[in-house]
Structure formats: structure tokens, C-alpha cells
Amino acid sequence: MKFHEMLQKRSAIATQMRALNDELKNEKRGFSDEEEKRWGGMTKELDDLESSIKREEEIRGVDETIAGQRQDEQRDNVDPQSLEKRYQGAFESLCRRGASDLTSDEKQAIGEMRALNKGTGSQGGFTVPVEFRNRIVESMKVYGGIANVCQIINTSNGNPMEWNISDGRTEIGEMLGENTEASKGDPSFGKISLGAKKASSKIILVSNELLQDSAVDIEGLIARRVGSRIGRIEASQIVKGDGTGNNVNGLLNQVVLNHVAAAATAVSYEDLIELKHSVDPAYRMGDSNRFIFNDNTFKGLKLLKDSQNRPLWLPAISGVAPATIDGDQFEIDQSMDSAALGKASTMYGDFQSYVLRRVQYMALRRLTERYAEFDQMGFVAFHRFDGVLEDVAAISKLTHA
């Protein structure tokens, strides 16, 4: 089946599922045995299609990268004085051959870039080019559900930033008479310092055979590995960081609203309703409110039905409607725990109230001699970030006791 045919079929199945759900809703009844079987068949077919589409998209992504590289080789009118472009080429040479084998032009480009990023010399690694960083950030998206829906600010350095914290439910304006001075309304939760905690990708080993093979997209290979490792640790810290030492103070630590699930090891329809209504209505009306849970919890929710025996989960229709749980969009974040005693399995709220601060500067260090006896080269990347929930009324969590 061709790619566009798979997309069309996925959309058709999702449309049929929504039509069946609307029919049940209008008739105020649950599934018949035949409809239950039909729904299960469509769900399985949709899951199989999603897997096939994902594989095809990955292949197409590789093809687009190769095509883009060929186009770059054919461009003769690129300004050779552009520092970023020059640095991009020098950085690839640096990854493949090391600093000692760079040409004079490549060394000059790296020197000029280093001058723009004071304090990032060879002892701290080399600043990665913008394109390389963008590839890493793109790779990170699949690992961080919250990072995909929260408010992100990129800063040029990691200097501490003072950030106001409040409970929006307590903030209200005032009525004034003529020539009356307005009173001061300070945030009720005060201020905190938003810093920049450092994470590493751990050491990534690449064989010298791959480094010497010009047909291999070595930057893409390293960027994907860095993106995977940095993406997972960032996602984990955003959710579960304990705030001690060099750990981020995670969102679960900062969320103060809470609903206790009825069962210690399961999430029910009633739990989701209680969780949603533990958040003030003002935070449930926007486009950025979401459920957050891991894939195992999602699998269970796909099987749940409401009080009218209708499924809570509705699949997405491409370009028309997103997938929803009980009418709300959701994000899969594997850093969330499954339902278990003492754990928080689900969050709900307006995630634009969570601020993720990322330092734009990202460094990559090449370990030239450390793995020479294995004929391998080591690379390690460093990424700095922090996060804060600026309005504690915006998000609630479902815990199991």
C-alpha cells in the first residue's frame, strides 16, 4: 500500500469510528455485541496502519536528508563569508578528523565562533552549529510529551533568572474611584530562581570506519544519538526531578493540586472526571490544556467507557480533529509512572503555565585518545535547562494511595 493510501485509509477508519461513537451518543446507548467487535477490529487496523505510517515517515525523513545534502553540494552561490555556514563545514570536519587535521580556513571559522561564545574553548567542548542543535532538538521531541506542549524560552546563557510564582485563583483586580491610587497585587507564591542544570548525553562511541566514510551522515548519526539520550533525561527531569544537587525540581514536585484515585493500581473514568474538575474552569478552556500519561496508561484508557458505555478515546482525523480522551487532547510522556501505590499516573491542566528554560549554547566534546585502542572515537554532548510552574492553579495530578 502506498503512503498516501495508508494516510487516506487511516483517516477513513478514524471517521468511521467517530461516526459510530456519535451514533451511540445520539441514541444514548452502549455497544451491541456486533458493534463492540467492529470497534475492536477498527482499533486493531488503525494501530497496524499507525505502525506502517511511522516506518514510512522514518524512511522518508532519511531520503529528505540525503536529498538536502545533494542540493547543498550543488549550490555555488552561497556566501563563503557566512560564519555559520563556514562553521557548519568545519564542525563536520572536526567530528570526523579532529582539531589537529583541520584546514587553516576551518580552524579560523572555529576560532571566530569560539570568540563569539566566550568560555567554550576546547576544555569545555565545541559549540554545536545551529543546524546541528536543531536536529538534536527535533530528535528530542519524541521523548518529551510535556516539552512539546509547555512554554519554552531559549536563552543565550545560563545566568539565574528571577521568576514570579502565583496561584491564579487568588489574583483579582479591583474597582477604583476617580483619582484613586491602584493598590499593589504581589504574586501570592513569591519568586524563585530559574537556573540552568547541566545534563550530558554520556559518551557515544563511533567507529573510525564510519567517521572516515564520507557517504555516512555523521552529524545526523551523532545528533540522533544525542537527541535520544538528552531527550530522555530532560523529559525525566521535567516530570520527576527531585530538586536536589544538580537535579531539576520536577513538575510533580511543584504541582500542588491533587486528586487521589479510587484504586491503587488503576485509572477509572470517574478519576479522570475528578482530576479535570480539580482544576479551575479558567484553565480548562484553552487550547493548551492536556492529559499527560505514559503509553501503558493510555492503553488502558483506550479500553475505558463512560457512563453511557461509550469509549473515552477517539482517534485523530488528519487535518480535521486531534485524538482525544473524554474530549480533551493528550500527550504521551514515558517519564510518567503507571498506576501504582504511591505514584502519580496522570496530570491534567494548562501546560503553557509550565516554563521550560533551555540554554541555546550546546557543547560537544570529541574524546580523541580515550578509545584509540578500540579504533573508536568518543563524543559527549552537554545541555543545560531548568523548569518552573509559574501558576500552581493550572495543573493537577492523579495519585494512587
Side-chain angles (χ1 to χ4, degrees):
M1 188 183 300
K2 295 181 179 179
F3 185 62
H4 73 276
E5 292 173 340
M6 289 191 289
L7 293 177
Q8 290 171 353
K9 188 171 183 180
R10 178 179 67 177
S11 182
I13 294 172
T15 300
Q16 292 171 19
M17 295 177 77
R18 283 182 173 268
L20 177 57
N21 180 75
D22 291 340
E23 180 183 336
L24 299 179
K25 188 184 297 184
N26 292 334
E27 296 176 5
K28 297 182 179 180
R29 63 180 180 84
F31 280 122
S32 66
D33 291 342
E34 181 181 349
E35 289 167 337
E36 184 84 44
K37 183 177 180 181
R38 181 184 168 198
W39 181 273
M42 288 191 292
T43 299
K44 183 180 184 305
E45 190 173 7
L46 192 66
D47 287 341
D48 292 342
L49 274 172
E50 291 284 3
S51 298
S52 298
I53 290 170
K54 182 178 180 181
R55 288 194 298 270
E56 181 67 23
E57 287 175 338
E58 290 174 348
I59 294 171
R60 284 172 172 254
V62 173
D63 291 340
E64 289 174 2
T65 299
I66 294 173
Q69 291 171 344
R70 289 174 177 169
Q71 290 174 0
D72 288 340
E73 292 172 359
Q74 297 171 355
R75 289 176 186 150
D76 297 326
N77 58 346
V78 176
D79 179 10
Q81 301 305 314
S82 169
L83 177 58
E84 183 61 37
K85 286 290 186 182
R86 289 168 55 219
Y87 186 67
Q88 180 76 34
F91 184 79
E92 181 178 358
S93 297
L94 180 68
C95 290
R96 290 186 183 277
R97 306 194 306 269
S100 60
D101 290 332
L102 295 176
T103 67
S104 58
D105 287 343
E106 290 169 341
K107 289 179 179 178
Q108 181 180 355
I110 287 177
E112 292 174 8
M113 184 62 76
R114 188 181 293 170
L116 291 176
N117 296 277
K118 295 180 180 180
T120 63
S122 59
Q123 294 300 314
F126 293 88
T127 305
V128 302
V130 172
E131 182 180 335
F132 185 84
R133 182 183 183 274
N134 289 344
R135 295 173 80 171
I136 291 175
V137 172
E138 189 66 27
S139 298
M140 291 168 62
K141 287 182 179 179
V142 298
Y143 304 102
I146 292 176
N148 294 334
V149 295
C150 70
Q151 181 184 163
I152 296 178
I153 58 172
N154 294 297
T155 59
S156 59
N157 58 54
N159 295 337
M161 303 170 63
E162 197 173 69
W163 208 269
N164 289 327
I165 307 300
S166 67
D167 181 341
R169 298 169 299 179
T170 67
E171 295 187 353
I172 186 170
E174 62 181 351
M175 303 300 295
L176 293 176
E178 187 175 352
N179 299 322
T180 303
E181 181 182 3
S183 61
K184 185 178 180 182
D186 289 329
S188 57
F189 272 61
K191 300 177 180 180
I192 70 163
S193 177
L194 185 60
K197 307 292 188 178
K198 183 166 70 173
S200 93
S201 63
K202 295 185 177 179
I203 296 170
I204 298 167
L205 295 178
V206 181
S207 71
N208 279 317
E209 288 83 358
L210 283 178
L211 291 174
Q212 294 164 8
D213 189 342
S214 60
V216 175
D217 178 11
I218 200 66
E219 288 190 36
L221 185 151
I222 296 173
R224 288 191 298 273
R225 298 286 295 279
V226 170
S228 170
R229 297 183 183 191
I230 294 292
R232 289 184 188 276
I233 186 60
E234 184 186 73
S236 176
Q237 287 285 306
I238 288 173
V239 174
K240 295 181 179 178
D242 61 14
T244 63
N246 196 48
N247 292 307
V248 169
N249 188 25
L251 191 50
L252 289 178
N253 271 357
Q254 299 183 53
V255 170
V256 298
L257 301 180
N258 176 57
H259 172 68
V260 180
T265 58
V267 178
S268 67
Y269 170 60
E270 290 77 12
D271 289 330
L272 295 183
I273 296 299
E274 293 290 347
L275 176 64
K276 286 173 66 172
H277 286 271
S278 66
V279 176
D280 189 272
Y283 302 97
R284 305 201 305 262
M285 303 302 179
D287 294 332
S288 54
N289 56 303
R290 296 285 193 282
F291 282 112
I292 303 287
F293 37 67
N294 68 21
D295 192 59
N296 187 55
T297 300
F298 176 46
K299 181 175 68 174
L301 294 177
K302 289 173 77 173
L303 303 176
L304 275 186
K305 296 181 174 63
D306 64 16
S307 57
Q308 298 296 321
N309 203 32
R310 297 179 302 237
L312 296 184
W313 169 70
L314 287 178
I317 300 178
S318 181
V320 178
T324 59
I325 293 287
D326 193 41
D328 281 289
Q329 296 182 59
F330 58 87
E331 287 287 330
I332 304 297
D333 195 314
Q334 290 297 85
S335 297
M336 292 292 294
D337 287 313
S338 297
L341 188 65
K343 302 294 185 180
S345 65
T346 308
M347 285 191 281
Y348 177 83
D350 180 359
F351 285 86
Q352 280 291 301
S353 290
Y354 180 75
V355 179
L356 173 60
R357 185 258 184 103
R358 286 173 173 165
V359 178
Q360 287 181 313
Y361 156 70
M362 185 180 288
L364 182 75
R365 180 178 292 183
R366 188 180 193 269
L367 308 177
T368 304
E369 302 295 337
R370 188 168 175 178
Y371 300 97
E373 66 269 31
F374 302 106
D375 198 28
Q376 293 180 316
M377 191 63 61
F379 296 89
V380 59
F382 302 96
H383 170 56
R384 292 189 292 166
F385 65 98
D386 202 355
V388 61
L389 179 60
E390 62 181 0
D391 190 340
V392 297
I395 299 173
S396 184
K397 60 187 175 183
L398 180 68
T399 56
H400 300 263

